[in-house]
Amino acid sequence: MSHIVDPRIVLQQIFTAVNKNETVVNLSDGPFPLIHDGQAITVCISQITETFESANPASTWAALMQKENPIHSYLFDQTGHLQYANVQARNKWNLQGENVRSFTLEQLLIQDGRGCPVLLVSSLDVTHQRQLELNLEAAKDQLQRQNLCLEASKTRLEADQAKLEAQQAALKARLQQALQMTTIPKTNIDTVTVADKAVRLLDRMIEGDVPELEVLVAVRNAMVRETDLRQPMDLGEQLMHSSGLADDVGQAMVDLLQGDSHSSAKQVAKAQKNALSRGTTMRSSLMRPKRFSGSRQLSRDISQRLYLSSLQRSSSLADAAAADDPADHMSNYVDAAIIPHVESLLQEAADSWTFSIFDLSDATTRPLSTLAFFLLKGTGLMDIFQLEEEVVACFLRELEDGYLDNPYHSSTHAAGVLQMIHMLVQNGLIQSGVLDDSLQLSCYMAAICHDYAHPGLTNDFLIKTCHRTALVYNDNSPLENMHVSSSFQVMYNSPGAFFMAPIPRDTRDVLRASLIDLVLGTDMKKHFSTLSRFQAILPARRSSCSASGTQSHSIATPEAADAGAADNLPLASLPPDQKLLVAQMALKAADISHLAAPVDVHRKWTAQLTEEFFRQGDRERSLNMKISPLMDRNDSAGMVKSQVGFFEIVALPLFNGFVELIPDARPMLDGVMANYEYWHSQQIA
């Protein structure tokens, strides 16, 4: 051996954990001169032998690795005799027992008679390998963390995907809803008005299109011929000859939608005062009415307040006070025993699209005044306008007393219209920003008085018989003019009924003007004119929503509405006359809202309307007049035949157009479609 090196110095360079004082290591290295077959061979050999009494973990781990290492390991003494061989080496040379000591370095180096001039000895840096393993563990941990992050990201992506799928499903549902709303059963009637046809032709020309000469001539002739450009072209001719309706049904539709009151009046169009363009000193038109907040306590107080109002009124009339029995007054309102039932009905009426007003009529003889007081109080309108409750109750009582006991046009019908206008106000009109406080109060009052003192006869009958009402109003919507005029007379002339007294004059004028317009708009002779002007709003709203990215007019919360969010809504920016037009459409829809009632309730209303028609027919027969279509008691099948045509020509376009502008009113349109399908099935049967 050429030299001896302290092996601990070498080990400490390899194993940082090796303690020099605890480990005894012998290191042998070369070169060794060997002579084989007379030939000198120089061999370099290096081997570490480690013995220890208390080895630390690093040394133990290194020794175990050395023992089990698949690479052959040998330890020879200075004479070249084997001292140690690991498992793999012993197996290689079958070294067992005495064979171990007899195995020499020469045998290892010289095999098959060939010598190896150099022996390459590789050393293993265990500490470095351990560091690599630690780095590998750290990389593994980092990979696991990344996997966790990826799993979390995957979860978020799945949640986002589910959200997108939900949005897609909602969008699909809205699209289907839109398709349903715009898919109106087709008829042979061209209901596009002359004015609308002219506007469409002008739009085509502005876009560079050249309309057909025949179309231009037809529209030109219609504009010259028609006195009302907001009526469909040749409506009467279409209804009688092109609609496919039976003759009597067609004639009934002509009388309803055109009739004598339109053809005989030949009125020059008059500029109607714009009810909402005038200033108001009470509340800004931009302030939004509050949502309904009626409580059960409020419904419990209604009957008692109306009863007290009745007693106060009677006590102010000396003669009446001496004759009246208080028990009679109570019987005119609500029996104390059924007040809880009335409370429940009032709460239901304030929040139900399918409420049957017959239930309230059965519970109290005064359904209109009871419901009206409850809603006016619950909406806060009494507080907003500082109305005196006793005076309001007195006005409502006097007004309900003026409704005649007709099968259809009764105080029960008016209460039903009031309930539906309340639903439309609370579910769309307030949120959209259409209504201010004045217009909301006008809507409620218009519903309350829209058929006041109705005689159970049509405008055409009054005109044909030269009825005083027709003479007073020059055949121009005689019933509608009478309803609103007589209602104001009740307010001004009945003792203790002038409920508008606390309202400033300017605001009162606005209320009166808008109330008049609302009630006059219920005349079916003006149906196509009103519908045509209303439909002109829809394209503008679609464009506004598209430009702003708005998909719905709804405000997320009432708090946002109170904060003035309505200013950003398309409908809130409508001019006052168009807001009034939307309110007119709402009242028109409410006026025939029995078409949206549950089928059994709708059929009951239809039967009562039929009976009212038959009574007019009986009267026409007694006067030797021609019996109006659908009013002959001897031909009871006429009403069934007319239903489908009325739905297709009048009802469905009206309700569908309103819901397109006010989507929250969709339940109303669903009810109309259900009743249409019922009558359609009856017609087929």
Side-chain angles (χ1 to χ4, degrees), residues 306-307 309-311 313-314 324 329 332-333 366 368-370 391-403 452 490:
L306 291 173
Y307 171 62
S309 173
S310 174
L311 292 181
R313 178 180 178 277
S314 61
D324 284 351
H329 289 283
N332 286 336
Y333 288 87
R366 294 189 178 277
L368 177 59
S369 53
T370 301
V391 179
V392 172
C394 179
F395 169 75
L396 294 174
R397 176 184 181 278
E398 291 290 338
L399 200 73
E400 187 160 18
D401 285 343
Y403 273 87
Y452 174 74
V490 169

Side-chain angles (χ1 to χ4, degrees), residues 322-342:
D324 284 351
D325 183 353
D328 293 336
H329 289 283
M330 178 62 78
S331 66
N332 286 336
Y333 288 87
V334 184
D335 191 308
I338 63 172
I339 285 180
H341 179 51
V342 174

Side-chain angles (χ1 to χ4, degrees), residues 251 461 464 616-617 620-621 623-629:
Q251 186 59 56
F461 180 88
K464 290 177 182 178
Q616 177 173 315
E620 290 172 336
R621 182 181 289 108
L623 295 174
N624 294 321
M625 297 173 60
K626 179 181 178 181
I627 299 178
S628 299

Side-chain angles (χ1 to χ4, degrees), residues 10 74 201 273 665:
V10 177
Y74 304 89
L201 286 176
K273 179 171 57 176

Side-chain angles (χ1 to χ4, degrees), residues 456-458 461 612-620 628 631:
L457 303 167
T458 65
F461 180 88
E612 187 167 302
F613 281 177
F614 286 166
R615 291 185 183 184
Q616 177 173 315
D618 295 341
R619 192 164 178 178
E620 290 172 336
S628 299
M631 299 188 182

